Amino acid sequence: MVKVRLEGITKIYGNIVAVDNMTLEIRDGELFTFLGPSGCGKTTTLRLIAGFEYPDKGKIYLDEEDATYMKPYQRGTAMVFQNYALWPHMTVFDNIAYGLKLRKIPKSEIKERVKRVLELVKLEGMENRYPTQLSGGQQQRVALARALVVEPKLLLLDEPLSNLDAKLRVEMREEIKRIQKELGITTIYVTHDQEEALTISDRIAVLNKGKVQQAGTPFEVYNRPRNMFVATFLGRSNVVEGTVVETSGTKVKVDVGFAELWGVTREEYLEAVQKETKVGVVLRPEHFTRLPGENEFNELQLKVIFTMFAGMRQEVKALIDDTELLIYYPPTIILHPGDIFKVYIPVEDTIVLPL
Amino acid sequence: MEITDVPREKVYRIIVLVTSAIFYYAHYLGYMRVSDAVISAIFLGALYYWLKVSSYKEMSSSEIYQYYTNSMIFMLSTLYAIIMIPMEARGPWGILGALAYASLTYAAGNFVLWLSYIYEHMKKYLAVKKAERELRRRLQLRKPPLLKRIDPLMISFTLLPLTIMTIFLLIPVTIIIKNAFIPPQGSSDYLYWIKEVFTGTNYVRPRPLGDFFVVDNVGGVPVLYLGGARITWNMGILINSLIVATTVTLTATLFGLILAFIMARYEFPGKTIMRVLVLVPMFIIPFANGIALKALLSSEGFLSVLLHDYLKLLPWRIHLQGLAGVMFLQIMTFTPIAYLNSYSSFLNIDPNLEEQAENLGAKGLRLFLTVTLPLALPGIAAGSILVFIFSLEDLAGPIVFNEHNLLSYQIYSRLINEATQGRVLPEIAAAAMILLLFALMGFAIIRSYVSLKQYAMISKGGRWKPRSRKLSPIGTVFAYIILLSILMIASVPQVGTILLTFGLLTPYGQLTPDTFTTNYFVNILESPNINVYIKNSLLYASLALLLMLAISIPAAYAVSRGRARLLAILDALVTLPIAIPGLVVAVGLFYFYSSWPFRGTPFDPTSINVYNAMYVLVVAYGVRKVPFMARSVFAGLQQTHKSLEEAAMNLGASRAKVITSIVIPLILMNILTGILLGFIYSTTEVSVSITLGGIKQEQAPLTWYMKQMVISGTQAVYNVAALGTLLIIIQLVAVMIIVLGFKQSYAFISL
């Protein structure tokens, strides 16, 4: 197992900066995810780590060894591709055994290890099938087995689940998480699916325009976004602009027009968020409650514009002064257009960020 | 809309200049007065400009180019050419000449436009490069160390084919261009020979010699001599070549298009059988096809007699002569090429695109003209240009019909005459260069046209189920009438060849069903005098295949996987041989091999004692026919996702190991298909085989022997037909293997 360190990695294609001065550390044994919209540089970064491309600047360290310009086959990484990249002219057994044969491992041991890894991915007895005879989920498992069987120091997964249907995707991601924990292997996972990223990862790096916007645990990046991009990219959020009227430590009071809201900002912004500065306030729809809680809260009175019933909740578009807000309301109390209702939002979930 | 594209402004001006030059040329030949020429050129120029400016409101300039300018240039210059031609030279053939001249204007204008696109492309590329350099400087980036970036295998994969193609294709062709500018003795006029080809009375006649249609009574039967009787119709070597190539291209494309549309879009009973029958005209049988056609459409020939005496469809019997014979033969030979390209482009149209148009209310002819045809056009255009090039360089037709007034025949006959004297006059180089020019111009027009209309067809990845409609009984009858008549015309040569082989047809065209014999066929296999040529051809073709493999696999791999700029050149180089007429290669190789460093080696055709045709032909076949294999391999690589290789590399395989264990097995079918195609095309190669290949009789290949027999006379014709049948058998086996064994499509001749 290995820890990965990226130091000021930059990669350009033509005059487009794909990865922009990226510095990151991926800890030994963790499942680390690159999350971001398409074109944010997540796959490029993965390919740089795998050695399919070389950076234009910066260094890549695997443990303490400089791996920046190592050939792909010298790095001891194993990658699972978005399209699985199973070789159609080989059976499942030959696909999986390929890496072992290259390592000149004796035949009997190859057989043993292929058998073990097939058990791990729950594909016992499929050795002699060809990839085309397998379902999408099974192909995915073979691709994973092929990567795992060589006992890589680092497992790289490039949007491995994006070609599967919704139900299978949920199953497979639990499966990947289980296997990863079982083997304790350092894993880098690339996805644009935030739910996938949040559920599977130990830590997430949210990328945009080749830069790390925020790196942290799923809880941190979701509930304590570091900037507007992260706040709006993950989940749904209402963003209202306002002016700071009062500060007390990280607690800030913001005049947003329809109300004065108490919120919290991050310590790194203490300097930037002063009285009179313009700021953005992020209110996630699921943080609103029907009844006041025990902690400090803001209180809002709104008028329903329309509602959408979504099973486990009721999505309400409501108006306060001229501002539209999206609020998730319990599904058991039916609201109608024109109803006036009250909601509460805890101060700690009212996130104040510099614009 | 802003006027941003300045280069195109320049282009319009250049077009005016070029057009003026052409008008001047027309004046020089006596087609028009100089004042007319100047006024027309100015008027045309003004018209382009007016069109451009007036349309700016709604359209982009490239749209103006696409929809208006092209057709306008063509129509107007045709009109002018017709008006400006002196009264006495008009008549039906004067107008044809004018059309040829108008096409030339059109082609020249397009050629300049094409150059301008290259220029614009280069400029864009350089701008991006500059931006990249600036970015690198600003971010203080440096490229990864050179030694880490380059992959020795990729480098050799690029350099090996690049070197071979440069030495054996580019250098010989360059020598031709150089030699075309050698002035005659005692003169310093470098353009002498080129002017000769464009203005000499042999090359360009203001008025045709002889009549195209001559009706004569032969023993009480009216016979229509097509192409002239005692004096064959002749507009001069250069104009003849252009008229033949244009007529053949248009006709073959039309036939191919109709066949392809019916086959691709309609379901009717017996379609499977038709699909097999369509393959019949595809068999390439140089010389034999001409003999069969000449026999069947002569004054005594079976088809002439059938159409006139029995079916009473024609008021006379038909006898093919000269240019008419060449045209007929080429239309029959090249219709399959047009068909294959059209067919595959119809199949490649995403049905959703047409369904969307139907959904919006388009149907019938409108749907075809606005959606289907434009989408299929790049493929169809590629097919027609191949026909144009193949027609220009065709030698077998002129030899069989004894038509000397064509560029290809001239180059051929003077090359073999002068080669025996050890030196070749610059006039041949000039003629060859002009032949090359026309071929390349056609290539360039289509390339620019196709790239202009790069309709990106967005598909969901997998192959779709092609659109096809069931035909009503009446529709089926119509479909069969059209299909069968085109097919019957196109397969006359193949059928005639087989009939001749087995003695069922005489060299004069009479059917003799009672004289079946297998003697001729057995004879060519058993007679050591004949089968030495078969053995030679098989040996040369097999060796050439090795060369083709050595060029195609590295080249296709490098082009499809590499990123270097040089690879665009390599890609062009392995495709280009399609556009270079074989005779140009033959002349170029003659010059090249008879000088340093080949002088006195077995390559040198002027050192008779050491000369060995094997060396020359293997290299010539290998280089000339490499596009067919390279395209096949390239297609395979494009279907193979790069990640399949990366997965192997990631697991510890070096690039060499990836190629042997992953890439080659995956594209094996494509390689084998390429091998079969290369083999077919090598064994049927004519141009180099009958020139450089025939210097020493005992080393000559099959096609050289067939040509000798055609020239030598009537009874030898049976041997030619028998050899033609042998070629049909070889190709039939290959096609069966490709279609049934490899499940690959036979539509290989496409750009």
Side-chain angles (χ1 to χ4, degrees):
Chain A
M1 307 310 109
V2 69
K3 103 182 163 197
V4 183
R5 196 149 53 83
L6 308 183
E7 258 184 33
I9 293 290
T10 300
K11 173 78 187 171
I12 62 170
Y13 291 112
N15 53 0
I16 292 159
V17 185
V19 181
D20 192 355
N21 200 13
M22 187 183 287
T23 299
L24 262 182
E25 192 169 303
I26 294 148
R27 292 169 204 150
D28 194 353
E30 80 176 334
L31 200 164
F32 191 90
T33 298
F34 291 142
L35 173 67
S38 56
C40 70
K42 53 191 191 300
T43 296
T44 307
T45 314
L46 194 74
R47 292 172 62 82
L48 289 170
I49 297 171
F52 298 135
E53 321 261 352
Y54 296 132
D56 291 294
K57 195 179 173 185
K59 295 265 176 228
I60 297 169
Y61 294 96
L62 298 178
D63 279 338
E64 288 316 315
E65 195 180 0
D66 182 354
T68 317
Y69 298 122
M70 275 187 194
K71 294 272 177 207
Y73 50 85
Q74 296 164 336
R75 300 191 180 207
T77 65
M79 183 147 165
V80 175
F81 291 81
Q82 186 171 6
N83 61 359
Y84 317 140
L86 297 179
W87 300 303
H89 62 298
M90 296 184 189
T91 59
V92 167
F93 179 88
D94 289 332
N95 262 285
I96 297 175
Y98 186 86
L100 297 175
K101 284 179 189 158
L102 285 174
R103 285 166 176 69
K104 308 252 184 301
I105 285 165
K107 267 209 173 121
S108 55
E109 195 188 332
I110 291 181
K111 241 180 151 171
E112 180 53 37
R113 279 170 71 171
V114 172
K115 194 165 167 272
R116 243 187 302 140
V117 80
L118 279 174
E119 275 165 22
L120 184 71
V121 299
K122 300 180 181 161
L123 275 182
E124 299 95 328
M126 297 277 196
E127 283 94 336
N128 294 323
R129 302 262 187 108
Y130 280 91
T132 45
Q133 298 168 312
L134 302 177
S135 70
Q138 289 170 328
Q139 290 184 19
Q140 172 65 69
R141 285 162 200 264
V142 176
L144 192 60
R146 184 178 66 184
L148 290 172
V149 78
V150 296
E151 293 170 2
K153 292 189 281 182
L154 176 63
L155 182 64
L156 305 171
L157 303 162
D158 182 9
E159 308 226 8
L161 305 180
S162 62
N163 286 346
L164 298 178
D165 61 45
K167 191 159 172 284
L168 208 54
R169 205 147 55 210
V170 174
E171 265 174 51
M172 274 312 291
R173 77 179 182 221
E174 284 164 10
E175 196 71 12
I176 290 175
K177 179 95 177 171
R178 172 184 70 82
I179 292 167
Q180 193 264 339
K181 285 290 155 235
E182 215 170 296
L183 302 175
I185 184 171
T186 315
T187 302
I188 303 178
Y189 192 103
V190 162
T191 183
H192 64 268
D193 181 334
Q194 36 172 302
E195 189 188 321
E196 202 171 295
L198 292 168
T199 47
I200 204 171
S201 318
D202 293 323
R203 284 198 307 144
I204 296 176
V206 180
L207 305 189
N208 190 36
K209 293 183 179 161
K211 281 192 150 92
V212 178
Q213 304 293 323
Q214 184 174 4
T217 63
F219 182 88
E220 278 167 6
V221 293
Y222 189 82
N223 291 313
R224 303 287 174 259
R226 218 186 115 207
N227 58 29
M228 274 301 169
F229 176 82
V230 179
T232 49
F233 180 72
L234 284 177
R236 296 174 77 177
S237 43
N238 301 292
V239 177
V240 286
E241 290 181 17
T243 320
V244 178
V245 290
E246 202 183 323
T247 60
S248 133
T250 55
K251 275 177 67 183
V252 183
K253 191 175 185 185
V254 184
D255 178 3
V256 293
F258 56 82
E260 289 195 343
L261 301 174
W262 274 104
V264 287
T265 191
R266 299 171 67 89
E267 281 197 18
E268 56 188 303
Y269 298 136
L270 282 181
E271 300 240 320
V273 178
Q274 293 287 346
K275 236 175 150 175
E276 302 294 309
T277 46
K278 291 255 176 213
V279 292
V281 180
V282 179
L283 306 165
R284 290 210 184 272
E286 67 272 23
H287 285 151
F288 291 101
T289 53
R290 195 170 64 86
L291 299 169
E294 288 167 8
N295 298 333
E296 287 179 272
F297 54 81
N298 299 297
E299 182 183 320
L300 298 172
Q301 180 164 316
L302 305 104
K303 186 173 154 195
V304 178
I305 305 171
F306 63 84
T307 65
M308 287 171 290
F309 183 72
M312 73 284 232
R313 62 170 180 257
Q314 191 176 187
E315 299 185 0
V316 184
K317 268 270 184 208
L319 206 59
I320 176 164
D321 283 2
D322 295 337
T323 313
E324 260 184 42
L325 294 179
L326 174 72
I327 286 156
Y328 293 167
Y329 208 69
T332 43
I333 300 154
I334 302 290
L335 292 174
H336 299 285
D339 287 358
I340 308 282
F341 68 112
K342 268 192 183 170
V343 285
Y344 306 88
I345 183 161
V347 169
E348 56 173 354
D349 291 327
T350 307
I351 297 142
V352 179
L353 292 169
L355 283 172
Chain B
M1 174 176 269
E2 286 173 84
I3 299 176
T4 47
D5 40 1
V6 182
R8 205 163 283 135
E9 290 283 351
K10 285 182 197 154
V11 169
Y12 284 103
R13 275 171 229 151
I14 296 169
I15 291 177
V16 175
L17 281 178
V18 172
T19 326
S20 322
I22 288 160
F23 279 125
Y24 176 76
Y25 173 55
H27 158 71
Y28 185 93
L29 296 177
Y31 284 137
M32 54 167 40
R33 285 171 310 185
V34 70
S35 53
D36 290 337
V38 171
I39 292 168
S40 328
I42 293 171
F43 183 76
L44 268 178
L47 192 90
Y48 297 145
Y49 196 76
W50 173 75
L51 257 175
K52 188 173 155 61
V53 173
S54 69
S55 320
Y56 252 120
K57 280 164 218 125
E58 311 94 47
M59 294 188 200
S60 74
S61 50
S62 73
E63 276 171 321
I64 302 172
Y65 170 69
Q66 276 168 248
Y67 297 116
Y68 286 93
T69 341
N70 264 355
S71 53
M72 280 300 179
I73 300 170
F74 189 59
M75 283 188 337
L76 283 170
S77 42
T78 312
L79 193 69
Y80 273 98
I82 293 168
I83 294 170
M84 295 305 162
I85 285 173
M87 260 313 194
E88 67 270 23
R90 274 193 210 173
W93 302 111
I95 291 174
L96 243 179
L99 266 170
Y101 143 69
S103 325
L104 209 70
T105 318
Y106 177 62
N110 257 317
F111 188 65
V112 176
L113 270 173
W114 179 68
L115 289 180
S116 87
Y117 281 102
I118 293 184
Y119 171 72
E120 277 180 58
H121 187 79
M122 280 295 295
K123 247 178 79 164
K124 230 179 269 170
Y125 169 72
L126 289 176
V128 170
K129 275 277 146 189
K130 198 175 154 210
E132 186 185 333
R133 266 200 310 276
E134 243 148 56
L135 189 70
R136 283 187 177 279
R137 218 192 40 216
R138 191 158 52 78
L139 297 178
Q140 294 175 326
L141 305 181
R142 53 190 182 79
K143 290 203 164 152
L146 190 68
L147 274 174
K148 299 287 181 184
R149 264 186 296 140
I150 58 168
D151 183 333
L153 199 69
M154 281 301 263
I155 298 278
S156 45
F157 270 22
T158 310
L159 291 184
L160 174 78
L162 206 59
T163 317
I164 298 179
M165 296 307 286
T166 306
I167 294 178
F168 293 106
L169 188 78
L170 277 195
I171 294 180
V173 169
T174 318
I175 295 178
I176 289 187
I177 296 173
K178 193 197 95 204
N179 285 1
F181 292 96
I182 296 176
Q185 272 192 340
S187 159
S188 63
D189 186 355
Y190 293 103
L191 294 176
Y192 182 86
W193 296 113
I194 292 160
K195 282 199 271 191
E196 177 65 22
V197 176
F198 272 113
T199 58
T201 8
N202 276 337
Y203 288 96
V204 185
R205 288 175 187 280
R207 270 165 223 88
L209 203 68
D211 290 308
F212 195 82
F213 303 96
V214 178
V215 179
D216 201 358
N217 259 321
V218 182
V221 187
V223 177
L224 172 67
Y225 289 91
L226 266 183
R230 259 191 306 280
I231 308 170
T232 52
W233 185 80
N234 175 10
M235 282 281 289
I237 295 161
L238 181 67
I239 303 287
N240 288 347
S241 281
L242 289 177
I243 291 176
V244 169
T246 313
T247 316
V248 169
T249 305
L250 294 178
T251 320
T253 305
L254 185 70
F255 282 175
L257 190 65
I258 296 171
L259 273 184
F261 190 75
I262 297 176
M263 293 301 286
R265 287 307 161 83
Y266 293 109
E267 288 299 327
F268 48 86
K271 191 175 169 184
T272 323
I273 298 168
M274 290 310 291
R275 218 178 260 147
V276 177
L277 283 182
V278 169
L279 292 174
V280 172
M282 262 170 234
F283 297 122
I284 309 158
I285 36 170
F287 301 108
N289 56 0
I291 283 169
L293 175 68
K294 196 180 176 185
L296 287 165
L297 277 178
S298 65
S299 55
E300 301 292 317
F302 173 69
L303 281 181
S304 291
V305 174
L306 179 76
L307 290 171
H308 170 67
D309 302 25
Y310 294 106
L311 297 178
K312 310 249 183 256
L313 286 173
L314 294 175
W316 354 258
R317 291 186 188 169
I318 288 181
H319 188 95
L320 286 182
Q321 290 267 70
L323 290 181
V326 176
M327 282 189 219
F328 266 68
L329 182 59
Q330 292 186 350
I331 289 168
M332 292 170 183
T333 317
F334 300 139
T335 295
I337 297 174
Y339 163 75
L340 284 173
N341 280 279
S342 308
Y343 183 71
S344 59
S345 17
F346 282 130
L347 285 191
N348 276 330
I349 296 174
D350 183 343
N352 288 340
L353 294 175
E354 282 174 291
E355 277 154 14
Q356 176 70 71
E358 268 180 337
N359 185 254
L360 293 171
K363 58 183 174 208
L365 191 65
R366 191 187 172 84
L367 174 69
F368 179 75
L369 289 180
T370 55
V371 178
T372 315
L373 190 63
L375 285 174
L377 211 51
I380 297 168
S384 353
I385 201 59
L386 280 175
V387 173
F388 183 79
I389 294 167
F390 288 172
S391 164
L392 272 181
E393 67 164 327
D394 178 51
L395 255 185
I399 289 174
V400 172
F401 283 95
N402 206 18
E403 174 55 69
H404 296 191
N405 293 306
L406 283 167
L407 269 181
S408 55
Y409 191 90
Q410 286 295 315
I411 298 171
Y412 152 74
S413 69
R414 304 183 61 164
L415 176 62
I416 54 168
N417 284 335
E418 291 168 23
T420 51
Q421 295 154 26
R423 54 185 290 276
V424 171
L425 288 177
E427 187 176 353
I428 299 181
M433 187 186 84
I434 284 153
L435 188 69
L436 177 70
L437 191 75
F438 281 119
L440 286 182
M441 220 183 229
F443 193 73
I445 291 170
I446 294 305
R447 276 271 138 152
S448 73
Y449 186 68
V450 173
S451 66
L452 266 180
K453 299 202 165 192
Q454 257 175 4
Y455 293 110
M457 279 188 271
I458 302 151
S459 74
K460 280 174 241 99
R463 294 283 293 186
W464 42 76
K465 193 178 171 295
R467 267 165 70 95
S468 60
R469 201 177 307 158
K470 249 193 141 59
L471 269 182
S472 65
I474 298 170
T476 308
V477 171
F478 269 109
Y480 264 102
I481 290 175
I482 298 171
L483 285 179
L484 287 178
S485 35
I486 298 179
L487 272 185
M488 266 182 336
I489 297 173
S491 44
V492 162
Q494 282 75 14
V495 175
T497 299
I498 293 170
L499 292 178
L500 266 173
T501 306
F502 297 105
L504 303 172
L505 185 73
T506 71
Y508 301 104
Q510 292 98 342
L511 276 193
T512 48
D514 44 340
T515 56
F516 178 82
T517 169
T518 54
N519 287 351
Y520 302 116
F521 193 71
V522 173
N523 183 35
I524 58 153
L525 297 177
E526 288 184 346
S527 153
N529 290 334
I530 304 175
N531 67 23
V532 60
Y533 302 109
I534 301 178
K535 283 179 196 154
N536 282 345
S537 267
L538 295 184
L539 173 68
Y540 301 161
S542 315
L543 292 174
L545 282 177
L546 296 179
L547 183 64
M548 279 183 240
L549 283 172
I551 301 173
S552 330
I553 294 180
Y557 186 81
V559 168
S560 67
R561 297 295 187 256
R563 272 194 227 130
R565 220 47 212 179
L566 196 63
L567 293 172
I569 300 172
L570 181 58
D571 187 26
L573 261 187
V574 293
T575 319
L576 200 62
I578 293 184
I580 297 184
L583 273 169
V584 175
V585 176
V587 175
L589 288 180
F590 179 86
Y591 286 132
F592 184 45
Y593 289 153
S594 56
S595 54
W596 184 87
F598 290 99
R599 178 134 215 129
T601 66
F603 282 95
D604 182 3
T606 57
S607 312
I608 297 297
N609 295 329
V610 288
Y611 178 77
N612 190 339
M614 182 174 84
Y615 291 92
V616 173
L617 290 183
V618 166
V619 175
Y621 292 170
V623 170
R624 277 202 70 200
K625 306 303 181 186
V626 83
F628 300 104
M629 193 186 286
R631 289 281 119 186
S632 187
V633 175
F634 189 69
L637 285 169
Q638 278 191 316
Q639 287 158 10
T640 314
H641 201 277
K642 204 173 153 190
S643 62
L644 293 173
E645 289 163 56
E646 285 174 348
M649 239 180 258
N650 181 251
L651 288 172
S654 61
R655 198 182 278 279
K657 177 77 187 168
V658 171
I659 288 170
T660 51
S661 67
I662 307 288
V663 179
I664 302 277
L666 282 175
I667 60 165
L668 196 61
M669 288 303 157
N670 299 80
I671 294 176
L672 292 174
T673 306
I675 288 178
L676 288 172
L677 294 179
F679 186 73
I680 291 175
Y681 281 100
S682 297
T683 46
T684 55
E685 204 272 353
V686 173
S687 304
V688 186
S689 304
I690 68 171
T691 50
L692 300 183
I695 287 175
K696 275 186 177 170
Q697 198 177 325
E698 71 277 11
Q699 297 166 349
L702 189 57
T703 40
W704 178 84
Y705 175 74
M706 291 169 90
K707 180 216 72 174
Q708 285 303 99
M709 291 302 104
V710 167
I711 295 171
S712 71
T714 312
Q715 284 309 307
V717 156
Y718 290 113
N719 285 337
V720 179
L723 287 169
T725 305
L726 180 70
L727 287 176
I728 291 181
I729 294 170
I730 292 175
Q731 290 169 56
L732 189 67
V733 172
V735 171
M736 287 299 158
I737 297 174
I738 292 172
V739 175
L740 301 175
F742 303 163
K743 306 268 185 262
Q744 300 271 314
S745 125
Y746 193 60
F748 48 86
I749 319 174
S750 61
L751 289 176

